[in-house]
Amino acid sequence: MKHEVLEVIREVCVLREKKAAPAAIPVFKLRGMGKQIARHLARLEIFSLQDLLLHLPARYQDRTHIQPIRQLVPGDAAVIEGVIKNVIAPPRGRTKLMCELQDDTGMMRLRFFHVLPFQASVLRPGARLRCYSEVRIGPQGWEMVHPEFQVISENRPPPVDSHLTPIYPATEGLSQYMLRKLTLHALQTMDQETVLDEILPDSLLQTLAFPTLKEALWFVHRPPRETLVSVLQDNKTIPQKRLVFEELLAHRISLLQIKKTFQSRQGVPLLKHEKLTCSFLAQLPFQLTAAQARVSREIQQDLIRAHPMLRLVQGDVGSGKTVIAALAMLQAVESGFQAAMMAPTELLAEQHYRVFRKWMEPLGVNVAFLSGHVKARARNAVLKSVNTGDAHIILGTHALFQEEVDFAALALIVVDEQHRFGVHQRALFRKKGMQAENCPHQLVMTATPIPRTLAMSFYADLDSSVIDELPPGRTPVMTSVVASGRRDEVVARIREACQEGRQAYWVCPLIEESEVIACQAATKTADDLKSLLPMLKIGLIHGRMNPEQKDKVMRAFQQGEIQLLVATTVIEVGVDVPNASVMIIENAERLGLSQLHQLRGRVGRGAAASHCVLFYQQPLSDLARERLAVMRETTDGFRIAQRDLELRGPGEVLGTRQTGDLSFRVADLIRDSELLPQVHRAAEIMMSAHQDKIPALLRRWFGEKSEYESV
Ligand code: ADP
Ligand code: MG
């Protein structure tokens, strides 16, 4: 899911026109800024004054009043002030030191493991100290370990802080003290220069009762002393929301603009959708569910328009997305055009090919297949039929969108399981579409459910349809979480199930980073199982087999000639064998919840009650235990996605530093989701009444990210 969200944003950025460079004040123009500090700041991706001011505190401390020692409780962080009564000096050459500090109400030990000589020289009996740290229970009572301290004079004590103390995300070599100094300079500079000026219209600020950007920035970097730390920490103050709001607004508007651009392109109206689609539906062994019929109608209506469709179909694993794709593709064929569907894996593309041939050949529709593994003569023949228009429906992997593939009349592109495609592949296929004189319609299908909050924000540029219903007659998969030590019991259960005529998967996930090792693990497991279960027909499939071998194994499994299929995660997406009703997943604790959900979705497709066993290695961390419990409790993909997000935290879902630029700077979709309705409304207002302000807004939040262009 993480990648999916990233890709969408990246894609957005690819399409966004490059705007002029922002009038930013480089951070090195600030007072007190040396080269060394600028280098440290660069590591935090702070290059401009604006970057520095949008590098918000991670938390706050209240150092605005001095607390009596007596009133403290372990766990409190506090400022105390007192006189050193006693120093337990370090033995010669050591740097340890402990002193006892007394105020009018009690005594506190200050423990230092490392004092520098100049510190040791001021920590003497009689010295008056002001300290800040957390109170802990030490071996001899309450203590502070390595408190921040200053020696003060009794007659002229310096004033305590007048605002709460910000604690910034830092990096080695850059102290909090330095960051505080820099942000103060930055705030003062901001007030004098024309940076970070207000963009949002007054009327909007008034309606929402928001302060200006500058006021908000002063507040978050230097909150007034009466502000509640806990409210700040939850990001619930108005000025904090004001900042988040602006960032979310910029995102929303950029997505809406892309949609507008896309919709202004000329599309291919696909007007006929009667004969072929009707015969197709008539020959299907089942009726569409109400949800399928609704989504299919939505697509049908998009396709008849002269503007390109850009629609996302979300439907949980097994909800029946393939039929929806087939119907849309037939509408293109019937109108005299071609349609192509791209699948993320060879295995899935081949399965589509098998299914489509069965469906389409009786209708007289020609289906072609192309992947990187189709070689030489066969490949040339396919390319030719695509080019002449003999091939009506073309299925395959991303090989479909390489240079030499030249479609005669492509009018619809379907991307199946789009979250599995890499950024490059998606950018490529979209470009291919855009180059055409008439932009093909695009249908994007995904089984990875995205929590609503994310979906609304990230897919604003796509229309979306949800298949919120499974075909009838399915029984939910029962899931058990089992320690890997109890393998024998599970093996016995598999034997029973297979002897009753059911089929099973045994999945050996990628444990090491290497596919070779994963395949070895699967091969070994298959061998072990063959000797434990000599009466069963056991097959093996993994990513290093060639397409013919894989195809042969999958066919055999489909036809029931293989009872137990040992596999790597190659079967994760799309594989559809309704008679398989048992799934064993090894090392389940190492897989993400979405991946487990996808794998488990391979069973529970027929009428028989299905079972999934999640094997884990002990010891299990609390988090892992909780994640596996989620799998046991629900089979609802949307709930699993939501829990995944909560357990992992949005930082991880959206990608963090290592994946680059795409996480929000100040917003957090889960935490701030309550703002979204207002953001959406404001985006409409901005686009209709304040177009002139939009370029500056987008530049402020995305302007410098030129690497988007290179994707
Ligand atoms: P997914 O949404 O995971 O891609 P598929 O399209 O592979 O799901 O469909 C899963 C299975 O359900 C297939 O075997 C398909 O033939 C079957 N199926 C799809 N729609 C229906 C329906 N309306 N009634 C019964 N079975 C259906
Ligand atoms: Mg599918």
Side-chain angles (χ1 to χ4, degrees), residues 108-136:
M108 175 78 71
R109 287 192 173 76
L110 310 180
R111 188 185 293 279
F112 298 88
F113 297 111
H114 261 292
V115 280
L116 300 170
F118 83 90
Q119 292 174 318
S121 70
V122 297
L123 292 170
R124 292 186 178 282
R128 196 170 181 83
L129 294 188
R130 190 179 285 169
C131 308
Y132 179 85
S133 186
E134 188 181 315
V135 182
R136 299 209 212 154

Side-chain angles (χ1 to χ4, degrees), residues 440-487:
H441 299 283
Q442 293 177 23
L443 183 63
V444 173
M445 307 202 293
T446 182
T448 300
I450 306 145
R452 264 189 74 74
T453 45
L454 289 181
M456 285 203 302
S457 293
F458 285 102
Y459 287 128
D461 58 333
L462 302 177
D463 291 314
S464 99
S465 300
V466 181
I467 311 180
D468 49 7
E469 180 185 2
L470 291 179
R474 305 257 173 96
T475 33
V477 182
M478 286 270 301
T479 299
S480 16
V481 177
V482 174
S484 58
R486 289 169 51 199
R487 210 178 168 93

Side-chain angles (χ1 to χ4, degrees), residues 376-442:
R377 271 182 45 205
R379 182 182 180 78
N380 285 334
V382 172
L383 288 176
K384 189 153 168 258
S385 70
V386 171
N387 185 244
T388 57
D390 278 351
H392 302 127
I393 287 181
I394 303 100
L395 306 172
T397 59
H398 61 276
L400 282 183
F401 295 96
Q402 281 157 1
E403 285 299 323
E404 72 269 29
V405 188
D406 191 8
F407 293 91
L410 183 63
L412 169 67
I413 297 173
V414 182
V415 186
D416 192 19
E417 309 285 358
Q418 61 102 25
H419 54 285
R420 296 291 305 257
F421 283 100
V423 176
H424 288 284
Q425 294 158 351
R426 296 190 62 210
L428 195 71
F429 98 80
R430 181 154 288 188
K431 219 165 88 197
K432 192 105 183 165
M434 294 284 229
Q435 279 163 356
E437 192 176 323
N438 291 319
C439 190
H441 299 283
Q442 293 177 23

